[in-house]
Amino acid sequence: MLNCRETSQLLSRGQDTRLSLKERLSLGFHLFMCGACQRFARQLRLLRKTAATLETIAQADGCMKLTDPARKRIEQAMRSAGFDANTRHE
Amino acid sequence: MRKNTPLPDRHDATAPETWVDQYGDYLYRYAWLQVRDAATAEDLVQETLLAALKGRGSFDGRASERTWLTGILKHKVLDHLRRQHREVSLEEAAGGEEDFGMEDFFSADGSWASKPSTWNDPAKSTENTYFWETLNRCIERLAPKQRQLFILRELHGDDNETLCRELNISTTNAGVILYRARMSLRQCLEFNWFDQEIR
């Protein structure tokens, strides 16, 4: 019989790898009886779902951008490296 | 549906002089999300554009220029994380933050010390801007190694094998670190967001 600690570990591992049949059965059995672990399982799913949207949220954030000094520094570095370096390629 | 959207077969290369204006902010946000430090993110953008400038011949126009640049940036980010990862490992070997806080989640008999509560889907919450801020702050509070792995796994969507290869750790080790990251994040969100919501 799994306890809640072991259940939480299996649920986390299940997000990264495929669990064995035996593991899935014992997980199902524990979850059937334990409301706290059912809620934990849902929390893990929500955590994954929301983390996956962080990139989109950040890209839509107009406040987060390169500062002007950084912009200038990068452009300067590119000029020193030679913008026209590519003309030799083709 | 998809068939009706005409996809260009080739993407054109643009002049490198315009890259900072065109892609600078996008690449910066991408890098910042993963390294959580403005100066490091700026450096990574610079390294990426310089590498791209040098390797312009490798742009074949099959993907967009932005995708091509993002691919280069991803490698730069990984190099950075790997370096940081080694430093963190050394620190941990010396000081040992490894087991920090893990005992708090369960009682000695393996039952929850504090039972997880019911979470509403934050995507449906009207105040979700605050939710994202809370989530970001919770991610920042993670131990460095946990944060790196969590980000690579959940934001990059790298599978376990890729992750282990990229950071040179075992799958078991990766699983343990991810588990700790999820447990800490869960608790941080529960305390700082979901419990507040009820009050």
Side-chain angles (χ1 to χ4, degrees):
Chain A
M1 268 279 285
L2 294 178
N3 63 30
C4 297
R5 182 200 297 272
E6 291 157 345
T7 302
S8 70
Q9 288 164 351
L10 268 190
L11 282 168
S12 172
R13 191 145 62 78
Q15 285 204 318
D16 307 315
T17 48
R18 190 167 165 75
L19 301 176
S20 71
L21 180 63
K22 187 167 168 264
E23 285 167 331
R24 276 178 282 144
L25 285 175
S26 24
L27 201 56
F29 185 64
H30 181 98
L31 286 177
F32 178 68
M33 300 191 310
C34 178
C37 285
Q38 280 169 28
R39 291 194 294 277
F40 173 77
R42 176 177 152 80
Q43 293 179 353
L44 273 191
R45 286 195 300 273
L46 280 176
L47 192 57
R48 162 153 293 179
K49 194 174 127 188
T50 51
T53 60
L54 276 177
E55 166 106 44
T56 323
I57 306 268
Q59 287 300 348
D61 183 351
C63 303
M64 195 199 282
K65 44 168 133 184
L66 277 178
T67 60
D68 283 337
R71 208 174 277 272
K72 291 216 176 69
R73 204 164 55 237
I74 295 172
E75 275 165 349
Q76 181 56 47
M78 287 176 78
R79 255 195 302 277
S80 311
F83 274 137
D84 55 352
N86 59 89
T87 49
R88 269 172 283 157
H89 282 299
E90 265 101 13
Chain B
M1 289 289 194
R2 230 171 174 179
K3 271 183 251 161
N4 299 334
T5 334
L7 276 172
D9 291 330
R10 303 272 311 165
H11 296 267
D12 293 326
T14 60
E17 289 92 326
T18 65
W19 286 353
V20 175
D21 284 337
Q22 276 194 89
Y23 310 116
D25 291 337
Y26 178 88
L27 296 173
Y28 173 74
R29 290 179 193 128
Y30 181 94
W32 184 89
L33 257 184
Q34 310 192 40
V35 298
R36 309 261 149 185
D37 175 70
T40 313
E42 288 168 5
D43 288 349
L44 288 168
V45 173
Q46 176 168 328
E47 277 178 42
T48 300
L49 292 181
L50 287 177
L53 192 60
K54 232 167 138 186
R56 277 195 86 197
S58 74
F59 177 70
D60 56 10
R62 264 185 305 182
S64 72
E65 204 169 42
R66 194 178 80 175
T67 308
W68 173 65
L69 290 170
T70 312
I72 301 175
L73 176 57
K74 188 187 167 182
H75 285 287
K76 298 282 172 201
V77 168
L78 276 172
D79 283 341
H80 170 80
L81 290 182
R82 243 179 262 135
R83 271 197 307 274
Q84 207 182 33
H85 192 77
R86 272 197 295 273
E87 282 159 25
V88 169
S89 304
L90 287 175
E91 269 168 42
E92 274 170 3
E97 63 170 327
E98 202 67 32
D99 284 322
F100 175 73
M102 279 313 287
E103 314 317 317
D104 303 337
F105 300 132
F106 297 95
S107 319
D109 66 353
S111 61
W112 291 96
S114 139
K115 287 204 167 117
S117 61
T118 308
W119 288 7
N120 297 316
D121 189 340
K124 296 190 183 100
S125 164
T126 47
E127 294 171 87
N128 58 31
T129 337
Y130 297 110
F131 175 79
W132 307 122
E133 279 171 21
T134 313
L135 178 57
N136 261 322
R137 261 181 288 134
C138 288
I139 291 178
E140 268 155 58
R141 254 193 249 171
L142 289 175
K145 209 189 244 182
Q146 292 176 15
R147 187 172 61 230
Q148 290 159 13
L149 255 83
F150 182 80
I151 286 169
L152 287 175
R153 177 78 184 101
E154 306 294 350
L155 272 69
H156 260 168
D158 286 356
D159 62 35
N160 254 27
E161 274 117 67
T162 316
L163 212 129
C164 297
R165 205 175 46 239
E166 280 165 344
L167 292 173
N168 197 20
I169 50 176
S170 71
T171 32
T172 319
N173 200 349
V176 171
I177 297 169
L178 279 172
Y179 173 68
R180 289 176 179 171
R182 287 173 183 139
M183 292 301 279
S184 309
L185 278 177
R186 186 206 79 76
Q187 193 173 54
C188 181
L189 283 173
E190 184 138 304
F191 286 172
N192 294 293
W193 176 259
F194 292 99
D195 282 3
Q196 307 296 325
E197 212 178 22
I198 295 161
R199 267 166 228 155

